[in-house]
Amino acid sequence: MGLEEKLPSGILLTSVEQVVGYVRKGSLWPATFGLACCAIEMMATGAGRYDLARFGMEVFRASPRQADLMIVAGRVSQKMAPVLRQIYDQMPEPKWVLAMGVCASSGGMFNNYAIVQGVDHVVPVDMYLPGCPPRPEMLMDAILKIHQQIQDTKLGVNRKREIAELEAVALTATPTHEMKGLLR
């Protein structure tokens, strides 16, 4: 009793965006960009115990031209920032970035001139993964959330319209220095 028996005459209806999203999320190839202790946890996630191969990510690519997901694992120094940007620019579209660990997300405990205070100053980040270092289970959860983002990504004219709407919302948002919160 398979799916084909439940469908009338073997026809399945879906949109092209859904099919493309399903194919893209099932074939992510991450770029290796491990800089510090978070890289050990990233390597453990790709090993046999956690096995990223079940998500179609069994091969970490050393060439950015073959990768579509950059996992920035660890702290980024000022000297490494141009290299990070160059690798990001060499990746083909569409591409996604995951900032793994508190150092990549916000500079972590290294609040000095030598460390970039968040990799989002260098490349656009799609997912932030907190922790020092985050466990492999957390990385797998973040990857599954990126899979959901990829599945919901629009194509063509719809994508351009979505980007324009997001930019309009961002421009009308309250600046963070005017926000009232627990720290004020």
Side-chain angles (χ1 to χ4, degrees):
M1 182 117 177
L3 179 66
E4 62 276 352
E5 294 173 6
K6 296 190 182 272
L7 297 173
S9 62
I11 296 175
L12 180 65
L13 299 176
T14 187
S15 68
V16 173
E17 287 179 345
Q18 290 294 316
V19 171
V20 169
Y22 180 77
V23 171
R24 281 184 180 163
K25 81 175 187 177
S27 63
L28 275 181
W29 287 357
T32 54
F33 207 82
L35 298 168
C37 46
C38 291
I40 304 298
E41 299 295 326
M42 180 177 67
M43 288 182 250
T45 308
R49 183 170 186 174
Y50 297 100
D51 193 24
L52 279 176
R54 59 186 156 162
F55 303 117
M57 300 176 63
E58 60 268 4
V59 180
F60 279 83
R61 296 294 171 178
S63 170
R65 287 175 174 75
Q66 296 175 346
D68 46 11
L69 171 66
M70 178 186 279
I71 302 174
V72 181
R75 60 188 177 272
V76 179
S77 65
Q78 294 289 349
K79 282 187 168 184
M80 187 58 74
V83 176
L84 173 74
R85 183 62 198 202
Q86 181 181 11
I87 290 173
Y88 176 80
D89 289 339
Q90 289 175 352
M91 291 172 60
E93 289 287 341
K95 53 190 165 189
W96 296 272
V97 177
L98 192 150
M100 181 178 177
V102 71
C103 294
S105 298
S106 65
M109 64 196 92
F110 303 102
N111 189 8
N112 61 32
Y113 67 92
I115 302 298
V116 175
Q117 299 301 305
V119 74
D120 55 351
H121 293 286
V122 182
V123 294
V125 176
D126 296 298
M127 180 72 59
Y128 294 94
L129 176 58
C132 184
R135 296 283 306 141
E137 296 90 353
M138 295 170 67
L139 177 58
M140 289 175 62
D141 181 59
I143 288 170
L144 290 176
K145 289 179 181 174
I146 285 182
H147 279 186
Q148 191 58 44
Q149 283 182 2
I150 294 168
Q151 179 72 46
D152 297 337
T153 299
K154 306 279 187 213
L155 295 176
V157 180
N158 295 334
R159 177 73 180 150
K160 291 178 183 176
R161 187 179 310 123
E162 181 183 38
I163 289 171
E165 290 171 2
L166 290 172
E167 286 178 359
V169 169
L171 289 173
T172 59
T174 305
T176 54
H177 70 277
E178 292 179 8
M179 293 181 180
K180 303 293 182 201
L182 297 175
L183 299 176
R184 292 189 189 225

